[in-house]
Amino acid sequence: MLVLGLESSCDDCSAAVVRETGKGPELLAMTRRSQDDLHGPYGGVVPELAAREHLLQLRGVIAGALAQAGVPLEGLDRIAVTQGPGLVGSLLATFSASKAMAWRQGIPWVGVHHLLGHLNAARFSAPDLPFPALALLVSGGHTHLYLAPDWTRLELLQKTRDDAAGEAFDKTARMLGLGYPGGPVVDACARKAARAGAPFTPPRFRDGLASWSFSGLKTAVKLRIQAEPGLQSAGPEDPRVQALCRSLQETVATWLLKPVPAFRDATGARSLVVSGGVACNSELRAQAQAMAVRLGLALAIPAPKFCTDNGAMIAAAGAVLEPARDPWSRNADPNLPLAFDQR
Ligand code: KG4
Ligand code: ZN
């Protein structure tokens, strides 16, 4: 089965052609246009600009993926697209195009929840992952730990109360004038550090609920920058900036993985998936690897190109989900719940 996957929920416009073999998905081609240069000056994504840019990029992105795969439109068996959650204007770009293409070709259409896409990114490297799996999905918009009974379902275990972990990276980079998006630059700076700075203190929750919080971490970083004369404009080669970046990512990685052992015991999970843009982080990947060995969990962390938003993960999810019976009545939903009526 040949599946075209389309993703434009935020600021990346991506299309991929994936062959589903029964043994797992195989990527034939993927195109992606980033809008980093467009949003960089604002230090974050501007929704209206993102939506307009997607409309301009869409044709080239889809045509490019089909051409690279050597698959004509007529050769597709299925089209999958992100239905939500995300920025509504951004979502609508590929969503509308996908329905028009499926209608024109008379082929099945699948609306995919963005987070099921991030889970299914792991199928490219670990198609035989043992379930149930713990799925740590971490990006600029999400920080969630789920129990996945299989590739098509996610049950929430824990999430952030406020900011997503990716925001701590993006805001830190912004405060230090390192550029946007922040994750890759903070990671690069941290890897140059001879040693980490002082660790950050984890927040304590009076209500005892299992959750994370990253907004306080942002403030702690800000106070540390303000306390150090010249740090704000010191740049990526300054050892103090590098030490701060290393403390930040060691802290974030440790906090993110902390609940995993208890939830492994409570759920009997046999594997751990770490996905989403923040799963590109070198420290998080290393700590997850060490934890999986310690707990005897099978580990699946997608290659970085499958961790950040991409069409391949949507195609991989679209291949294992049931197509919608009535695609034409569907609409993109910026707050799409996980339990939406797929069929
Ligand atoms: O999944 P994604 O591409 O888009 C969303 O759904 O949000 O994730 C983007 C986020 C950004 O916050 C970016 O800074 C972060 O992933 N990111 C990283 C790294 N690469 C990307 N965070 C930490 N370390 C990285 N190497
Ligand atoms: Zn994402």
Side-chain angles (χ1 to χ4, degrees):
M1 176 168 60
L2 287 175
V3 188
L4 175 69
L6 303 176
E7 152 66 37
S8 68
S9 63
C10 190
D11 61 337
D12 284 316
C13 191
S14 178
V17 182
V18 165
R19 179 183 286 130
E20 186 65 37
T21 61
K23 289 191 192 134
E26 179 197 345
L27 181 65
L28 299 187
M30 177 153 76
T31 51
R32 172 158 43 187
R33 296 270 167 81
S34 137
Q35 302 179 2
D36 290 350
D37 293 345
L38 181 69
H39 302 290
Y42 304 94
V45 177
V46 183
E48 182 65 23
L49 293 181
R52 285 165 189 266
E53 191 69 7
H54 284 312
L55 289 176
L56 298 175
Q57 293 170 338
L58 194 59
R59 251 180 96 97
V61 164
I62 296 174
L66 291 171
Q68 279 175 34
V71 173
L73 201 51
E74 293 70 31
L76 293 173
D77 300 303
R78 187 178 280 205
I79 293 184
V81 68
T82 306
Q83 188 164 342
L87 301 170
V88 71
S90 291
L91 286 166
L92 278 169
T94 51
F95 194 80
S96 309
S98 72
K99 287 209 293 189
M101 289 166 71
W103 181 76
R104 161 77 172 71
Q105 297 307 123
I107 55 176
W109 176 97
V110 195
V112 176
H113 192 285
H114 184 75
L115 291 178
L116 265 187
H118 278 306
L119 173 71
N120 277 268
R123 287 183 61 232
F124 288 97
S125 56
D128 299 322
L129 192 76
F131 284 99
L134 293 174
L136 179 61
L137 306 183
V138 203
S139 69
H142 297 96
T143 301
H144 290 62
L145 182 64
Y146 291 100
L147 182 69
D150 54 45
W151 292 113
T152 67
R153 285 176 295 161
L154 290 169
E155 296 163 10
L156 183 66
L157 299 173
Q158 170 167 332
K159 65 177 180 161
T160 179
R161 308 181 170 220
D162 39 55
D163 296 344
E167 255 196 86
F169 287 96
D170 293 334
K171 293 280 156 58
T172 297
R174 192 174 172 178
M175 288 187 273
L176 290 167
L178 298 176
Y180 171 85
V185 272
V186 169
D187 197 350
C189 271
R191 273 183 278 133
K192 288 188 203 153
R195 70 187 110 78
F200 292 95
T201 318
R204 291 214 192 96
F205 304 123
R206 287 216 184 92
D207 56 20
L209 288 177
S211 60
W212 291 284
S213 165
F214 291 95
S215 68
L217 179 59
K218 245 168 36 186
T219 313
V221 169
K222 185 174 165 190
L223 292 176
R224 209 173 271 189
I225 293 172
Q226 285 170 351
E228 187 83 40
L231 193 62
Q232 198 175 356
S233 53
E237 298 309 322
D238 188 298
R240 296 168 306 161
V241 170
Q242 294 168 357
L244 175 67
C245 290
R246 185 159 153 191
S247 305
L248 175 78
Q249 72 178 34
E250 285 183 3
T251 299
V252 172
T254 308
W255 289 3
L256 286 174
L257 290 167
K258 190 152 183 269
V260 168
F263 279 118
R264 193 281 307 258
D265 293 347
T267 61
R270 299 168 63 205
S271 57
L272 172 65
V273 174
V274 187
S275 185
V278 178
C280 294
N281 186 262
S282 57
E283 177 68 23
L284 180 58
R285 294 174 88 91
Q287 286 199 24
Q289 175 80 46
M291 180 171 279
V293 170
R294 207 162 58 240
L295 299 180
L297 291 169
L299 178 68
I301 312 183
K305 72 173 176 185
F306 295 127
C307 282
T308 47
D309 292 349
N310 67 86
M313 70 183 195
I314 301 302
V320 294
L321 292 166
E322 291 285 324
R325 277 186 294 245
D326 59 339
W328 325 125
S329 69
R330 300 302 169 113
N331 212 344
D333 182 349
N335 302 309
L336 188 72
L338 265 168
F340 81 108
D341 182 12
Q342 175 71 41
R343 299 219 59 207

